[in-house]
Amino acid sequence: MAVTRPRLYVLDVPKGEGTSFASLTRFVASHLEADGCVTSSWVGAVLAREQLYPTGLPLEPPVAIPHADTTHTLKDALVVARLAEPLAFGAMGDSDAGALQVRLAVFIVAGNGMAQVEALERLLSILGDGARRERLEAGSAENARRSFEAMLEQLGALTTAPDTPHPRTPDPSSQSQP
């Protein structure tokens, strides 16, 4: 049985696009919306969730893993955003910790096919390993995307079964023919 893998993006975020979490999220959303991965409500949902539940991880160097509720996802994706300048994120689960200065944020865009917890576990395996993480941070965005894809394959790819349509993706067989 063939499987559908999440779309993978590695985006180099220009200085002007990563000056705030809101501008970074809008930059990422512009790519996801163009590919039909998220609804127009995704940006607001990511911003609201980050305010309530910060996603900064105190790794060395720190990273963030922003995400939103699955109802805003049309197609599963993982987006590595490489920031030109550090951006402050709150620490996950530690409201007393100071802001973490992040240059690498990985957005989890998960629907029913890709579980957020499973994605988070795999991402932590990658981001917590200095050599793997360096492959995401260095070189061209395309080479980093290929490396990311290989790392996910090595860890057991996040997949969606094709015979289980995403709940927000219309089933082509149910659409009327002209």
Side-chain angles (χ1 to χ4, degrees), residues 37-39 42 69-76 109-111 166 168:
C37 293
V38 296
T39 65
W42 184 80
D69 186 74
T70 60
T71 60
H72 307 281
T73 300
L74 300 171
K75 297 176 187 171
D76 296 337
V109 183
H166 199 286
R168 288 164 299 284

Side-chain angles (χ1 to χ4, degrees), residues 96-117:
D96 295 331
L100 301 172
Q101 295 302 311
V102 169
R103 290 187 72 127
L104 190 71
V106 183
F107 288 77
I108 300 173
V109 183
N112 289 339
M114 181 175 70
Q116 285 184 0
V117 172

Side-chain angles (χ1 to χ4, degrees), residues 88-158:
F89 276 82
M92 185 183 292
D94 188 357
S95 60
D96 295 331
L100 301 172
Q101 295 302 311
V102 169
R103 290 187 72 127
L104 190 71
V106 183
F107 288 77
I108 300 173
V109 183
N112 289 339
M114 181 175 70
Q116 285 184 0
V117 172
E118 180 182 343
L120 183 58
E121 288 172 356
R122 292 206 171 113
L123 289 174
L124 288 174
S125 293
I126 292 169
L127 298 171
D129 179 316
R132 285 180 173 162
R133 181 188 169 126
E134 189 174 304
R135 289 170 41 203
L136 291 179
E137 294 173 322
S140 73
E142 181 54 27
N143 284 343
R145 191 199 62 73
R146 281 193 224 115
S147 291
F148 190 35
E149 184 174 35
M151 289 179 232
L152 290 171
E153 284 291 327
Q154 196 174 41
L155 292 171
L158 305 169

Side-chain angles (χ1 to χ4, degrees), residues 3 24 40 44 63 79 88 104 125 141 152 178:
V3 293
L24 171 62
S40 60
V63 299
V79 182
L104 190 71
S125 293
L152 290 171

Side-chain angles (χ1 to χ4, degrees), residues 31-50:
H31 294 272
L32 294 170
E33 287 174 357
D35 287 344
C37 293
V38 296
T39 65
S40 60
S41 61
W42 184 80
V43 169
V46 172
L47 295 175
R49 191 191 184 293
E50 188 70 27

